[in-house]
Every structure is written in C-alpha cells, then in structure tokens.
Amino acid sequence: MLSQPAATTGAASTEVTSSGMASGPTAAPWAGDAVGLVDSYRRGDHDPVTELERVLGALERSRLGALCHVDADAARRAAAQVDLALPLAGVPFAVKELEQVAGWPRADASVPLRGRRSARHSTQVRRLVAAGAIPVAQTTSSELARGAHTASRLHGITRNPWRLTASAGGSSGGSAAAVAGGLFALATATDGGGSTRQPAAMCGLPGLKVSWRIVPGGPEPVLEPFTVVTTTLSRSVRDIARALDVTAGFDARDPFSAPISPRFEAGLGTVPTAGLRVAWLPDLGGAAHDQGVVTMVERALRDLVAAAGLRPAALATPAVPGPSAAFAAIGALRIRRFLGPYWPACADELTAEIREVMVAADSLDARVLTELDTYRIDVIETMAALFDEVDLVACPTTGEAFDAETGSPAPGPLPLANICGCPAISIPVGTGPTGLPVGLHLFAPHHRDDLLLELAAAVERDHPWPLVAPASPW
C-alpha cells in the first residue's frame, strides 16, 4: 500500500515537524499532502481554523502571482464548522478561475469579462465542498485557457515556485504554482490540451488528465469543446485518488459524464501491472526535447519498468496529424461566444493570441469545420492503433520551464489525450540540466486511470519528489 509522503519545507524561515505541522516566526501552511492534513486534524495535532489562517497569511506574502481572488470571510465560516468525518474535511483549496464558484469573479483572465460573477458552483467544486474541502482563493489562468503560459493582461505573469524567473506553465499555471509553492495542498485545474500535465511537470507535481468526462463538466451543460476535462492538482498520488473518489461519476447536467463508481484510493496497491507492454516514444507529436531531459526521463522509465514489471515494446513513432486550422478551431467558437458582445471594441484589451482567435473565428467556414472532424478521427485512429500494440505509451511530458518573460512552450504530444479522450499522467522524476523539474508522461487506454495512478504511486514510493518546491517564496 502507498505510504504517507514525507513533508517538505515550503520556506527557509519555517521548520516542518514530523507531523507535517509548520512552526517558527512566520508559520507556513501545511507542507504535506491533503490526506495527511485530514489525518492530522483527526488526531488532534492540528485544526482547520489555524490552518486556514496560515494559508491566508501566506497568500498575503506570496510573490508567485498565482492568485486573483481571495474569499477569506466565507472560508473562515466554513473552517469553524468542519465535519471531520468527511474525506477532505477542512482542507483549504484553490479553484482555477475558469471554474465557477458562486459569487466569485468569472473573468476567465480576460479584461472584457472582468465584471462577470458566477451564480453557482461548478459540479467539481460542489462535490469537493460536499466532501469537506474549503474554497479559499481563485488561481490564475492564461486568458480563456488559451496557451501554455499563465500570463494575461488582467493578472500579469504567474511564476514558477522553483525559480521565479521561470514560467509555471499553463493554462492551470496558477493552480500548479499555488500547490507546489506551499500555499495549498489541493487546487482545481482543467486540461484541454495539456493544461494540467504541462504545469504539473514544470512545477514538480503529479498531474492526471482523466478519461474524458469521468468528472462531469458544468454546472451548465458543456458540449463543446470535446477536449476539456476538469481535474485537480495536488502533491501526492493518494490525494489525486481521493479527490477523484469524491468528484467522479455521472451528473444529469453533463449528458456526456460517465456513470462510474470510483474506488481509486482504495485501489492503490492492488492494480496489476506485471507484463504490461510500454512503448518509449520521446518524439511523439513532433516533440524535440533537450537531450538531457530525454536521458533523465528515459532513466526514470527504466526504473519504473523494473519496479512494476512492465515489458518494453519497440514501436516506431506514428505520424500523428499535425496542428492545423481545424485544431486551432477547437474552443474558438466558445471563446467567440464569450467575447462576441465586446468585439471588436475590446481588441486592444486582449492578448495577441486571443485577438487572433477572434479574427479566425469570424472567418471560419464549412471547410475548416469539416477538417476538424477529420483531424479528430485521425488522432483517435492513431492512438487506438497504438493501444492495439501496447498497454502504455511513454514520453517526456515537456521540457524544463521556459523563461517567464520571453520564453514560449514547445510543441509536444499532450493534446493527443484530449483529442482521443484517453487518460494521461505526468509523474515528477527529478530535475533537468538547468535544475528545474521534469516529468515522465504516460498515456493509457480509456478508463485506465487506475493503472496510471498505480504506476505513479510506484515512482512516488521508490523516488519520492519534494511535496513543496525547495525554498519556495510562496
């Protein structure tokens, strides 16, 4: 069974005891994982009110640029009446700004939308709250989740807690930075093209893109794009499993949600892995990573193969259909719907990427929309053919984090899981040549989320990662 991860200090001025509690002149928030925090409450070693105040104090001092709204009063009311029997009792958590919380801003990192407010919770947030977790703050995203760098004209740049000059990735960069930076043990995220896995890898966290819609969208019916899933970012595999246990399952407001009966946490340590075939495809999706990153991740895969009894399989890298006008059109109509009432007067308030999306959306024709279906079918067929030959596909998640001011993300294979709907995970496997985190990325067939968690737990057991970025500045 998976053992409790060791706590790691989140600030140079703070010491962490063996129980995971912070002490010192500027006590930091809990530096362990969310499951460990609940256990600490139940033992009486810690209490939700004290933990919340530590979180709120750290938010005020944070230099990460990871937050865009804090609801301290509501959080304090919730912390005063926690039911310790609940699975996430008293765990403060943050919510990505693309996900709704009643009464909170709903700007989606876009200046023209800064006056919007949410009328109700998203389905995932509602289920986390029902499990005892406490929503405290909203985390930053790239504008309307477009792009893999969390920077917008509304909120500025979100920075990596491992190195402030580096990007936290995107579009869930705020959530990744807040969790890896020691502010929260749990935050929500979305993944429409790698938006959970890429920032997780860059910030040294595990990040799971779940099978399509095992966690419902909503609260309103979410039809397009057929690529986006809601999920969470946390510090340990058991945290991901527990959060999935309370958020997965059918919801009537999402007709595409899956009617599953989740038992992810209870299943850890019981999922068979011996003999499963894994293919190493470092250049999948046209990726061209630094050789130092490739070597490090391949070494981690060899260790996992030995630990889990996997069977390496030699496969040629398939010719995956490349990005096209059709791929760019995914989500463009939804962005057009949000910004349409303000367009084109708002053009100067938008990032260059969103301006380009709006111009392109106005010129979409039947040929592009037809190509979109063709593109999706090609990717689905490509991935299905891979899984006819192997049980798992492995590659680096991404390169090391790029410069927050001038860098840009490199292309890679992450969107393949979104297009075909299969699950995929990024697992921390150390640091690359420049000292920033890198991740091992695994694809699995549909609804084998349990297998990916099992393998991530094996890496975590044999090569535990820091739960909080060393010397994080909050």
Coordinates of all heavy atoms in Angstrom, one line a residue, residues 26 36 77 115 128 132 164 178 194 203 213 230 253 322 331 388 402 412 435 460:
T26 N 7.2 32.8 11.2 CA 6.2 33.0 10.1 C 5.7 31.7 9.7 O 6.1 31.1 8.7 CB 6.8 33.8 9.0 OG1 8.0 33.1 8.5 CG2 7.1 35.2 9.4
G36 N -2.8 13.7 4.4 CA -2.1 13.9 5.7 C -2.6 15.0 6.5 O -2.6 14.9 7.8
R77 N -15.8 31.1 7.9 CA -17.1 30.5 8.4 C -17.1 29.0 8.2 O -17.5 28.2 9.0 CB -18.3 31.1 7.6 CG -18.5 32.6 8.0 CD -19.9 33.1 7.5 NE -19.9 33.1 6.0 CZ -19.6 34.1 5.3 NH1 -19.1 35.2 5.9 NH2 -19.7 34.1 4.0
G115 N -16.1 42.0 -15.3 CA -17.3 42.3 -14.4 C -18.2 41.1 -14.2 O -19.2 41.2 -13.4
L128 N -16.4 18.8 -4.1 CA -15.3 18.9 -3.2 C -15.8 19.6 -1.9 O -15.4 19.2 -0.8 CB -14.2 19.8 -3.8 CG -13.4 19.1 -5.0 CD1 -12.5 20.2 -5.7 CD2 -12.5 18.0 -4.4
G132 N -16.1 18.2 2.3 CA -15.5 18.9 3.4 C -14.4 19.9 3.1 O -13.9 20.6 4.0
L164 N 11.7 31.9 -9.8 CA 10.7 33.0 -10.1 C 10.8 33.5 -11.5 O 9.9 34.1 -12.0 CB 10.8 34.1 -9.1 CG 10.3 33.8 -7.7 CD1 10.4 35.0 -6.8 CD2 8.8 33.3 -7.7
A178 N 0.5 27.5 -7.0 CA 0.0 27.6 -5.6 C 0.2 26.3 -4.8 O 0.5 26.3 -3.6 CB -1.5 27.9 -5.6
G194 N -3.3 19.7 -22.4 CA -2.2 19.5 -21.6 C -2.1 20.5 -20.4 O -1.1 20.6 -19.7
C203 N 6.3 22.4 -12.5 CA 6.3 22.8 -11.1 C 6.6 21.6 -10.2 O 6.6 21.7 -9.0 CB 5.0 23.4 -10.7 SG 4.7 25.0 -11.5
R213 N -14.5 13.0 -19.2 CA -15.7 13.3 -18.5 C -16.1 12.3 -17.5 O -17.3 12.1 -17.2 CB -16.9 13.5 -19.5 CG -16.7 14.6 -20.5 CD -16.5 16.0 -19.8 NE -17.6 16.8 -19.9 CZ -17.9 17.5 -21.0 NH1 -17.2 17.4 -22.1 NH2 -19.0 18.3 -21.0
T230 N -12.2 18.4 -16.3 CA -11.9 19.1 -15.0 C -11.2 18.1 -14.1 O -11.5 16.9 -14.1 CB -13.1 19.6 -14.3 OG1 -14.1 18.6 -14.3 CG2 -13.7 20.8 -15.1
R253 N -26.5 17.2 -15.4 CA -26.3 18.4 -16.2 C -25.2 18.3 -17.2 O -24.9 19.2 -17.9 CB -26.0 19.6 -15.2 CG -27.3 20.1 -14.5 CD -27.0 21.2 -13.5 NE -28.2 21.6 -12.9 CZ -28.8 21.0 -11.9 NH1 -28.3 19.9 -11.4 NH2 -29.9 21.5 -11.4
G322 N -0.7 16.7 -37.7 CA -0.1 17.9 -37.0 C -1.2 19.0 -36.8 O -2.3 18.9 -37.3
G331 N -12.4 25.0 -29.5 CA -12.6 26.0 -28.5 C -12.8 27.4 -29.0 O -13.2 28.3 -28.2
D388 N -3.6 -0.9 -29.7 CA -3.7 -2.3 -30.2 C -2.4 -3.0 -30.0 O -2.4 -4.3 -29.9 CB -4.0 -2.3 -31.7 CG -5.5 -1.9 -32.0 OD1 -6.3 -2.1 -31.0 OD2 -5.8 -1.6 -33.1
F402 N 10.2 27.3 -19.3 CA 10.8 28.3 -20.1 C 10.8 29.7 -19.4 O 10.1 29.8 -18.3 CB 10.1 28.5 -21.5 CG 8.6 28.5 -21.4 CD1 7.9 29.7 -21.2 CD2 7.9 27.4 -21.5 CE1 6.6 29.8 -21.1 CE2 6.5 27.4 -21.4 CZ 5.8 28.6 -21.2
G412 N 4.3 19.5 -28.5 CA 4.5 18.1 -28.0 C 3.3 17.3 -28.1 O 2.3 17.7 -28.8
G435 N 18.2 22.5 -13.6 CA 17.7 22.4 -12.2 C 16.3 22.6 -12.0 O 15.8 22.7 -10.8
E460 N 6.5 7.3 -6.9 CA 6.5 8.0 -5.7 C 7.1 7.2 -4.5 O 7.8 7.8 -3.7 CB 5.0 8.4 -5.4 CG 4.8 9.3 -4.1 CD 3.4 9.6 -3.9 OE1 2.5 8.7 -4.1 OE2 3.1 10.7 -3.6

